[in-house]
Amino acid sequence: MLAANLHIFLKLRMTTTDSDRNLQPLVEFREVSFIINGGRPIIDRLSLQVERGETFVLLGESGCGKTTTLKLVNRLLTPTSGKVLVEDKPTTEWDVIRLRRRTGYVIQEAGLFPHFRVEQNVALVPHLERWDEARARARVRELLSLVGMDPEKFANRYPRELSGGQRQRVGVARALAADPPLLLMDEPFGALDPLTRAALQKEFADLKTRLGKTVIFVTHDVREALLLGSRIALMDAGRIVLLETPAGFVKSENELAKAYLETLRNDFVTAP
């Protein structure tokens, strides 16, 4: 009887612990500042929480601190003060290689290795994780299909043989290869022509819904933020000046938010 009761107690405790863990934010900033050589703070006492499964958009002008914020998550940078936590653990306590393999990273122009074929680029992290060749190859083909690229047609091409949109698709596939819980995306569609960018934004929104990933997405494009974000953090001078859902952002009286929304109206104003 004692053994049976102990088994039930441990099972309940494990269930509660797992449930509590799922309720915790995947990423948290606690009063984080980042300063170089004693100058003006690039990030200034920033606090935020990124919930599991959401797309958290960092929106702002160049120099506002949004890319610096992103780099603090995977420890490309470390805070001058405060704490950044990933999966409830300070980034300074993570093994940095393990942390980065838990976070997919997508940048402008995809950052593909030009001397690697598409298949080799996508399989990079699985190979570093010592997956066997058959498993890695199957994963590459699965992901290329997922991002709309026929593996038979594209797996053996080099990045120079792809269009800009195709390179970005490969970049997303590579970020997803080891199935990380978190994706960091730094203006991934910013260098593309408007039609390709719109198509990839729609594809990414559909893909993200299917996979249920947590995403931190950097952009200066308010249209993109409204389309893709679960919540939008509007940044200025290293601080968040507004944190809202897309619906709340559109209704906000914040002057900077209103200035961004005015650019959408101006898009449709034609010269006389």
Side-chain angles (χ1 to χ4, degrees), residues 3-272:
N5 288 340
L6 181 59
H7 175 74
I8 292 170
F9 169 76
L10 290 174
K11 185 175 181 180
L12 287 171
R13 184 175 178 182
M14 288 174 64
T15 302
T16 302
T17 301
D18 290 343
S19 176
D20 290 345
R21 188 178 297 115
N22 289 334
L23 292 174
Q24 292 169 344
L26 190 64
V27 176
E28 184 175 4
F29 280 58
R30 295 179 183 171
E31 290 288 311
V32 172
S33 293
F34 181 75
I35 302 169
I36 298 176
N37 297 329
R40 178 183 66 82
I42 298 172
I43 299 297
D44 190 8
R45 293 169 291 171
L46 184 65
S47 294
L48 62 86
Q49 294 184 339
V50 180
E51 305 300 333
R52 293 171 188 269
E54 77 170 326
T55 298
F56 189 93
V57 173
L58 298 170
L59 172 67
E61 301 174 86
S62 297
C64 73
K66 56 189 187 294
T67 292
T68 299
T69 301
L70 198 73
K71 290 180 176 180
L72 287 163
V73 176
N74 67 351
R75 211 171 133 192
L76 288 173
L77 299 171
T78 55
T80 305
S81 61
K83 286 185 178 182
V84 180
L85 293 89
V86 176
E87 298 183 275
D88 205 36
K89 182 177 179 179
T91 54
T92 50
E93 295 178 12
W94 276 87
D95 173 82
V96 69
I97 294 174
R98 179 54 45 197
L99 173 63
R100 289 173 188 167
R101 291 183 188 173
R102 295 283 292 167
T103 55
Y105 195 35
V106 185
I107 59 175
Q108 275 192 35
E109 292 294 333
L112 303 178
F113 291 105
H115 56 292
F116 279 13
R117 291 176 284 106
V118 165
E119 183 174 41
Q120 293 171 304
N121 268 288
V122 176
L124 181 63
V125 174
H127 282 153
L128 291 172
E129 292 287 291
R130 301 185 185 279
W131 290 22
D132 66 70
E133 195 60 38
R135 182 186 177 199
R137 188 177 295 111
R139 182 65 170 162
V140 168
R141 276 153 171 68
E142 175 191 0
L143 287 170
L144 287 178
S145 297
L146 193 66
V147 298
M149 298 181 71
D150 181 355
E152 298 303 321
K153 184 177 180 181
F154 291 103
N156 289 312
R157 291 191 185 183
Y158 287 91
R160 65 178 179 273
E161 299 174 303
L162 305 176
S163 69
Q166 288 167 345
R167 286 194 293 272
Q168 285 306 116
R169 288 184 174 92
V170 175
V172 172
R174 183 177 64 180
L176 291 168
D179 199 24
L182 175 64
L183 292 182
L184 306 179
M185 307 189 75
D186 191 359
E187 302 199 57
F189 312 132
L192 302 174
D193 67 84
L195 291 178
T196 302
R197 183 166 64 246
L200 282 180
Q201 287 168 345
K202 184 178 185 304
E203 288 175 19
F204 173 74
D206 293 342
L207 182 65
K208 190 264 171 188
T209 300
R210 276 187 283 163
L211 297 178
K213 296 292 184 184
T214 303
V215 182
I216 304 178
F217 194 106
V218 165
T219 186
H220 62 268
D221 181 349
V222 67
R223 186 192 306 272
E224 187 169 65
L226 293 169
L227 175 66
L228 299 179
S230 307
R231 289 188 296 160
I232 301 169
L234 180 59
M235 295 192 69
D236 185 43
R239 294 184 175 183
I240 292 176
V241 297
L242 178 68
L243 180 57
E244 269 292 359
T245 63
F249 189 96
V250 169
K251 298 174 184 176
S252 173
E253 293 299 314
N254 178 277
E255 290 301 321
L256 185 56
K258 289 164 70 174
Y260 267 100
L261 294 170
E262 187 63 28
T263 66
L264 297 181
R265 286 185 279 272
N266 290 341
D267 284 348
F268 300 99
V269 176
T270 58

